[in-house]
Amino acid sequence: MTATVPPPSPGEPIADPQGRVELPPGALPSDSRFVNDDLLPVPVARRRWTTYNFAALWVGMAHNIPSWLLASGLVTLGMDWKQAVFTIALANLIVLFPMLLTGHAGPKYGIPFPVLARASFGLRGANLPALIRAAVACAWFGIQTWIGGQGIFVLLGKIFGGWAEASEIGGQPWTLWLCFVLFWALELAIIYRGMDTLRRFENWAAPFVIVGALVLLVWIGVKAGGLGPLLDQPSKLGWGADFWPVFFPSLMGMIAFWSTLSLNIPDFTRFGAGQRAQIWGQSLGLPTTMTLFALLSVFVTSGSQAVYGAAVWDPVELAAKTDNVFGLLFALVTVLVATISVNIAANVVSPAYDLANLVPKLINFRTGALITGVVGVLCMPWKLTSTPELYIFTWLGLVGGLLGTVAGILIADYWIVRRTVLDLGDLYRPGGRYWYANGWNPRAVLAFAVGGVLAVGGSHSAPGKGPFPEDGLIPFLKPLADYGWAVGLAASLVLYVALTLPGRRSVAA
């Protein structure tokens, strides 16, 4: 006689041997205001992203113009190339840790970031971190699209000539606006086709962009007859008292560059074949790629200094110096692929899910992506990158502080309070265990408020260099401002655990 395994109760989650959990068909009411097809858990059969897919995703996202310019921003602030690369490498090793922790829920439960946030913030309260993440992503989408449009404008102007002299609209040549709009439309067309299209695009975009960067290095190396004098330039800061006041806020800024993804990485890992795929894929893809890309930018820029007598940090500007039409076209395609691969993955996927979480019955993934595209254009991104101080200290520092605060709460709730055990069905049901007080968890809101104030309350700017008072928004918090991401993450994590664990223990007793 053969023993039979009793089937699960109707609506009860099903776990496979790898610990991946899914809901049976019909487990959730289709008319729930907290459900739509894009927010539901990905079925186990569709969780098939491999280590290569995740590594390729990160290679594709890390190889972009703003990443290339990170080292130049640090050198402009007084570091030498070794200090700049060290800062970037350390930042990406640090941010990888919360990336892996929050990414764990993706392969296990198949849920996106805003649904994971429901466990800690509540079904309605999850809109708070989701909209913060969406707002940041919209601004980043605008920045990347503007930079990509400028790259196309410069390279096409070199090929056809006369583009820069076109009549102006809003202070810019109309040809630049045309490049910007066409690039914007191309990005949305790709993401509109869904996540499988994104996976396939990243798979071939990653090696293509690597080849493009290496071609640029070989080209400038041949012209320079070596890597040039930039590698021999000493630091203006040294390693003493002048270095550390620049290093720590710069480190927080570099962490903030990918702190956005440390929140919404479940949007991608939910398609993972298992924990091994997301852990190895991210570990191999993020810190190594960002460090190597920083080194490439330094070497290429050093060669440009030997050839042209001045360091050319912008890869588009450097590529435009060639008179070879094939080389210009190759550079143009590389810029297109590099910018699209990061922008649609890092800055469209997240707000599309986040906005869908806001009104699931009215906004789906595609509608959210279109809204992201419109908001990204309206935020005037060119102002955020006008100076290194504004870009690294103000924009990235402020963003890092707020997103670190949210990450602290997510990690505390999922790993410390719940030990990675979630009631998958209740993440979609009003009145369940994640309903808290009318859909909001007051403990999470309080932890976010306190952590956020500690992280960004001391934000300050040098006279004439930014929007904040010289003494800080809250003067006595000014010493914490240089460590915003770390302060926000640690403060919110500790406070959330302190507020939550005693209550859970008393209930268990």
Side-chain angles (χ1 to χ4, degrees), residues 207-296:
F208 182 88
V209 174
I210 292 175
V211 170
L214 291 174
V215 167
L216 190 60
L217 176 63
V218 171
W219 170 68
I220 198 65
V222 170
K223 288 182 71 70
L227 290 178
L230 182 67
L231 300 181
D232 299 324
Q233 286 189 1
S235 169
K236 297 176 184 176
L237 304 172
W239 288 94
D242 292 333
F243 173 70
W244 301 110
V246 176
F247 170 75
F248 283 110
S250 297
L251 180 69
M252 294 300 108
M254 296 304 103
I255 289 172
F257 192 81
W258 289 122
S259 65
T260 50
L261 268 293
S262 70
L263 293 187
N264 76 285
I265 195 65
D267 293 343
F268 302 95
T269 61
R270 67 193 298 228
F271 297 95
Q275 297 300 339
R276 181 183 178 88
Q278 72 101 3
I279 291 172
W280 279 104
Q282 294 202 79
S283 300
L284 294 172
L286 171 59
T288 55
T289 302
M290 287 294 291
T291 303
L292 289 174
F293 209 49
L295 281 169
L296 270 176

Side-chain angles (χ1 to χ4, degrees), residues 241-500:
D242 292 333
F243 173 70
W244 301 110
V246 176
F247 170 75
F248 283 110
S250 297
L251 180 69
M252 294 300 108
M254 296 304 103
I255 289 172
F257 192 81
W258 289 122
S259 65
T260 50
L261 268 293
S262 70
L263 293 187
N264 76 285
I265 195 65
D267 293 343
F268 302 95
T269 61
R270 67 193 298 228
F271 297 95
Q275 297 300 339
R276 181 183 178 88
Q278 72 101 3
I279 291 172
W280 279 104
Q282 294 202 79
S283 300
L284 294 172
L286 171 59
T288 55
T289 302
M290 287 294 291
T291 303
L292 289 174
F293 209 49
L295 281 169
L296 270 176
S297 72
V298 168
F299 292 155
V300 170
T301 304
S302 185
S304 73
Q305 187 177 35
V307 174
Y308 301 107
V312 183
W313 285 97
D314 188 337
V316 174
E317 182 183 345
L318 182 60
K321 290 183 177 294
T322 181
D323 292 321
N324 184 288
V325 174
F326 175 79
L328 286 167
L329 289 173
F330 180 79
L332 176 63
V333 174
T334 302
V335 167
L336 277 169
V337 173
T339 308
I340 289 174
S341 66
V342 64
N343 216 13
I344 60 179
N347 303 319
V348 177
V349 172
S350 175
Y353 284 126
D354 297 337
L355 293 169
N357 187 70
L358 181 64
V359 192
K361 289 303 173 187
L362 298 178
I363 302 176
N364 59 18
F365 180 85
R366 288 182 171 86
T367 307
L370 295 175
I371 294 173
T372 300
V374 173
V375 175
V377 172
L378 297 177
C379 71
M380 296 186 292
W382 45 89
K383 293 185 180 294
L384 294 174
T385 54
S386 57
T387 68
E389 292 83 5
L390 188 63
Y391 179 47
I392 293 176
F393 293 161
T394 302
W395 166 243
L396 289 179
L398 187 66
V399 164
L402 290 176
L403 297 183
T405 303
V406 175
I409 295 170
L410 293 184
I411 292 169
D413 184 80
Y414 183 70
W415 283 96
I416 301 175
V417 175
R418 305 189 189 280
R419 308 294 177 90
T420 75
V421 178
L422 299 176
D423 186 318
L424 189 55
D426 272 4
L427 289 171
Y428 299 88
R429 295 190 189 104
R433 68 180 63 199
Y434 308 119
W435 189 241
Y436 300 108
N438 201 30
W440 288 79
N441 183 0
R443 296 180 181 88
V445 175
L446 178 59
F448 172 78
V450 173
V453 169
L454 291 175
V456 304
S459 297
H460 57 91
S461 302
K465 296 291 187 179
F468 301 120
E470 184 178 358
D471 294 329
L473 291 171
I474 304 175
F476 75 89
L477 294 178
K478 183 178 178 181
L480 300 180
D482 291 346
Y483 315 94
W485 180 84
V487 168
L489 187 145
S492 63
L493 186 151
V494 170
L495 182 56
Y496 184 82
V497 170
L499 291 172
T500 304

Side-chain angles (χ1 to χ4, degrees), residues 41-87:
V42 175
V44 167
R46 288 180 49 211
R47 300 179 204 173
R48 50 179 184 260
W49 284 32
T50 64
T51 297
Y52 176 78
N53 293 138
F54 286 112
L57 176 75
W58 274 114
V59 172
M61 289 198 294
H63 285 155
N64 60 84
I65 298 172
S67 293
W68 185 281
L69 296 175
L70 286 179
S72 66
L74 296 178
V75 171
T76 301
L77 293 172
M79 294 186 183
D80 65 17
W81 73 270
K82 295 184 292 294
Q83 291 171 329
V85 172
F86 167 73
T87 303

Side-chain angles (χ1 to χ4, degrees), residues 124-150:
R124 286 176 171 157
N127 287 315
L128 173 63
L131 289 180
I132 291 172
R133 174 64 183 96
V136 171
C138 289
W140 267 121
F141 176 82
I143 290 171
Q144 292 276 7
T145 304
W146 180 254
I147 291 174
Q150 284 181 314

